[in-house]
Amino acid sequence: MVQQRHAGLKKFTVLTGVAAPLPMVNVDTDMIIPKQFLKTIQRSGLGRNLFHDMRYDHNEKERPEFILNQGIYRQAAILVTGDNFGCGSSREHAPWAILDFGIRCLVAPSYADIFFNNCLKNGILPLLLPQEHVNTLMEAAECGGARATMTVDLERQEVRVSHHRIISFAVDPFHKYCLMEGIEDIGLTMKKAHKITAYEEVQCHTRPWL
Amino acid sequence: MAIPLTLFDKIWHSHLVDVQEDGTCLIYIDRHLVHEVTSPQAFEGLRLAGRRVRRPAWTLAVADHNVPTTDWSNSIADDESRLQVETLARNCNDFDIEFLHVNDVRQGVVHVVGPEQGFTLPGTTIVCGDSHTSTHGAFGALAFGIGTSEVEHVLATQTLLQKPAKNMRVRVDGMLRPCVTAKDIVLAIVGRLGTAGGTGHVIEYDGQAIRNLSMEERMTVCNMSIEAGARAGVIAPDDKTFTYLAGLPRAPRGAAWEKALAYWQTLRTDVQARFDSTVTLQAADLVPQVTWGTSPEDVVPITGHVPDPTLATESSKRRAMLRSLAYMGLTPGTPMTDIRIDRVFIGSCTNGRIEDLRKAAAVVRHRVVAPWVDAMVVPGSGLVKAQAEAEGLDRIFREAGFSWRKPGCSMCLAMNADRLSPGQRCASTSNRNFEGRQGREGRTHLMSPLMAAAAAITGYLTDVRSL
């Protein structure tokens, strides 16, 4: 049964897939997954309601103008977007919904802190690129067809766009390691239990009122 | 000589369990608040991995996000909500965690309950699977929101893997004018910094106007640090903090109190400490603030107008403004006080405490709610509700035409039955005006309790100073 919990934590090595453009800034987690879907006690099944209010009308019919309802973007594995993606609520349902939809890599100039961490815990790569490179990938994604298919190579730290354009990126070494190995970090921390115990013993003396 | 440190640096260094070569830190967590929405998957993870909760006594749970604000002492009608609350109760029972249940007078919004109980203490690290955990920074604690995977990490290990934050100082100098409140301060700050201005930073609030705030007002300011993108907000503890804490159920007593107090008094930023950035506001310049758009940074003075997107310099900002205006159904140039409202919500972890209710009641007293307005007050906790009732505030609200509810997050995020209908416009004391936040296609204007009360009376966004 342990596998079920960690089924989502697939190793991230090389990802090739369609990139969908979402040229908006400050996309908040309420937009990514509205509150009515937070009542679940599971992690799975949220992909259908990713970007719910932008994606469906009042009758739950798809809005044809929304990018993820169009042609190849229905199979998007990468999302290219604007500054401060994932701001607002700490709900991890947002990356769960993104992952469940099939998106494993985000590209943006900046992310909100909590959301960024939440992505990493779920095997999603939140790629940080300077605005000019995001613009390049946004244009490629908007072209559709073969140009919208790109490869994110985490090991070599580069994005390869179909027409032989290569953009390299920086990534925190620890994040890279965890993503590439599919590391579940609680297990890592458990190995430091002796250090935690030592800290608690000291704290018990220095701050006994706690 | 020792390197001068900020308050954040001091708390951070005193909680380091381990530092990896790459700079990733393992920090100890002193207090963990748990609620029903972001915890079920974490407990399930513990079960599947055969793990236990490392420090159940330093963990406190309460249901708040999707509980009804009508009587639910027997049961919750909504199946999914009921299942979530029952799941939390079961998890707390199985893992030996104290759970404040519905019939417990202490039940309420997690960020109101923690401070009320003295669970929140200066110099501690506090986390919760909720972004408004920043509230607790008002006590000089390092408090921040985390995701569910991190909730599981804290339950299992009482630690978190984190990178150190940068230091930002926000000074609010001078004295506030009458009817200008903590909410107006923080709205102005979020408007100034922008919704990502604090990303990667812990904000320390300081200056005469901050020092003059009560503990509850300081909580309002720290609460919305996340709306500026900050990881946390802190205010150095002082005599007000210690007076507030003395005698609270979980606060230290006797010799432990004396020892704690001596330590708490060291919790201040050293004079020479370096901040990565500093922002200064003059309190006297502030008037009551309201939001016009769908981001908390969309702030204008109540004396202002709906802004004109053609004046925005960046195209991305212009596009966002156009989208917001369309969503909000507003026309550029409209005086803010011409905006008619349908609903009023007074409550939330930002403004659901007793002082907030007293302020709103003072405006409402001997007046009635505009006939087209549906107004509600949702106390932040059972204790706030009981105190308000003891003071007769509930009568003032009821007689004016407000609905007086049971505690919970309610229409701050509209997970329960309290929500806006499409197109409805709400004057709200909560913290977020995102699209759909208070109900699909609902329109939210954020403001202080004084301002929300004034809006309820006139039925329009109103400068409370003109009432």
Side-chain angles (χ1 to χ4, degrees), chain A residues 27 40 86 114 117 135:
Chain A
V27 172
T40 177
I114 303 174
N117 283 340
N135 292 347

Side-chain angles (χ1 to χ4, degrees), chain A residues 1-7, chain B residues 48-49:
Chain A
M1 284 306 283
V2 178
Q3 300 88 310
Q4 186 194 343
R5 153 72 175 84
H6 300 300
Chain B
L48 291 169

Side-chain angles (χ1 to χ4, degrees), chain A residues 1-2 5 23-26 28 30-31 35 38-43 52-54 56-58 60 63 84 87-93 96 111 113-114 117-118 121-122 172 174 184-187 189-190 192-193 195-197 199-200 203 205 207-210, chain B residues 14-18 20 22 24 26 28 30-31 37 40-41 48 51 54-55 58 78 80-81 84 124 129-131 145-150 152-153 157 159 161 163 195-196 199-200 231 252 259-260 263-264 319 323 413-415 432 434-437 440-441:
Chain A
M1 284 306 283
V2 178
R5 153 72 175 84
M24 291 172 68
V25 294
N26 298 331
D28 58 72
D30 275 80
M31 245 180 218
K35 79 294 244 84
L38 309 190
K39 295 187 182 186
T40 177
I41 55 171
Q42 298 177 324
R43 292 171 198 245
H52 181 272
D53 291 3
M54 289 198 277
Y56 305 104
D57 66 15
H58 279 282
E60 296 297 311
R63 296 181 193 266
N84 199 29
C87 62
S89 158
S90 64
R91 58 189 69 167
E92 197 162 316
H93 308 69
W96 293 338
Y111 300 89
D113 287 328
I114 303 174
N117 283 340
N118 285 344
K121 308 284 180 190
N122 288 281
D172 178 281
F174 182 61
E184 184 249 354
D185 58 15
I186 297 177
T189 300
M190 290 296 229
K192 295 179 180 172
K195 290 190 177 183
I196 301 172
T197 304
Y199 178 91
E200 285 171 341
Q203 191 192 45
H205 291 290
R207 295 196 287 278
W209 59 87
L210 290 173
Chain B
S14 67
H15 287 83
L16 285 175
V17 174
D18 186 45
Q20 292 175 195
D22 64 16
T24 305
L26 189 66
Y28 200 79
D30 300 323
R31 295 288 185 264
V37 175
Q41 297 86 351
L48 291 169
R51 290 171 179 145
R54 187 173 176 96
R55 289 203 93 156
W58 288 17
D78 182 273
E80 287 179 299
S81 297
Q84 249 186 359
T124 55
D130 188 280
S131 59
I146 56 177
T148 299
S149 294
E150 291 179 314
E152 186 180 337
H153 194 285
T157 69
T159 63
L161 286 162
K163 286 267 160 62
T195 181
T199 302
R231 289 204 200 160
K259 196 161 183 181
Y263 173 70
W264 293 343
R319 274 203 308 274
R323 184 184 171 97
L413 86 166
M415 269 191 86
R432 290 192 174 129
F434 296 153
E435 288 182 19
R437 174 77 178 182
R440 188 169 186 172
E441 292 175 34

Side-chain angles (χ1 to χ4, degrees), chain B residues 360-381:
Chain B
V363 172
V364 166
R365 191 189 305 266
H366 305 313
R367 293 186 166 117
V368 290
V369 170
W372 62 86
V373 170
D374 175 356
M376 68 194 294
V377 181
V378 181
S381 72

